[in-house]
């Protein structure tokens, strides 16, 4: 069995269990939620107002509120009040890296030929 050498980043990332990964993937299991999170990741730590987020993601009103609630329960986003605005921001960058790493950590581990896919660490 081929074993991939751990990267320096592996030591910094939380090791996800299958249950945690499945729960987080479930929160991202909607095209609209995934797009909302992508917009927040693009915006960076300063986040976006609800109005701007809705406009960028193409989701508004109670639907946006519903999706943000699910993403917040999964620990992926946070909402803070700034004056009269609610600012939403992605807050779980390390967890998102760990989620992606969960899928590729054992890439080609059982392959009999060398893997053509290389991780950028």
């Amino acid at each position: 069995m081929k074993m991939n050498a751990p990267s320096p980043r592996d030591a910094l990332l939380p090791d996800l269990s299958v249950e945690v990964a499945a729960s987080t993937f479930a929160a991202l299991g909607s095209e609209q939620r995934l797009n909302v999170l992508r917009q927040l990741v693009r915006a960076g730590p300063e986040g976006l107002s609800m109005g701007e987020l809705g406009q960028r993601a193409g989701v508004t009103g109670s639907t946006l509120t519903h999706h943000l609630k699910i993403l917040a329960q999964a620990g992926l986003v946070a909402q803070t009040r700034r004056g009269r605005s609610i600012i939403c921001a992605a807050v779980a960058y390390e967890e998102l890296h760990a989620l992606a790493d969960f899928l590729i950590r054992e890439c080609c581990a059982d392959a009999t030929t060398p893997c053509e896919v290389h991780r950028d660490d």
Side-chain angles (χ1 to χ4, degrees):
M1 177 182 333
K2 179 181 170 187
M3 297 299 289
N4 292 332
S7 74
R9 192 180 76 190
D10 288 341
L12 301 174
L13 295 175
D15 191 20
L16 292 183
S17 68
V18 171
E19 295 81 12
V20 170
S23 175
T24 307
F25 277 121
L28 297 173
S30 155
E31 187 176 320
Q32 288 181 327
R33 278 193 296 276
L34 187 56
N35 191 34
V36 166
L37 183 61
R38 286 181 68 215
Q39 296 305 317
L40 292 173
V41 168
R42 288 176 58 99
E46 57 273 355
L48 297 169
S49 69
M50 290 281 287
E52 181 68 19
L53 176 57
Q55 187 176 28
R56 289 187 187 189
V59 182
T60 58
S62 62
T63 303
L64 179 59
T65 301
H66 168 75
H67 290 312
L68 285 168
K69 179 181 177 184
I70 292 170
L71 292 170
Q73 287 174 337
L76 298 172
V77 302
Q79 297 176 319
T80 56
R81 184 167 291 282
R82 198 174 298 153
R84 294 176 60 185
S85 298
I86 296 176
I87 305 299
C88 305
V91 294
Y93 293 101
E94 286 184 18
E95 287 80 359
L96 290 172
H97 279 286
L99 196 60
D101 192 58
F102 176 84
L103 292 176
I104 62 171
R105 177 172 290 160
E106 296 181 35
C107 177
C108 306
D110 296 333
T112 56
T113 58
C115 185
E116 296 295 322
V117 179
H118 300 284
R119 292 177 24 182
D120 295 329
D121 289 358

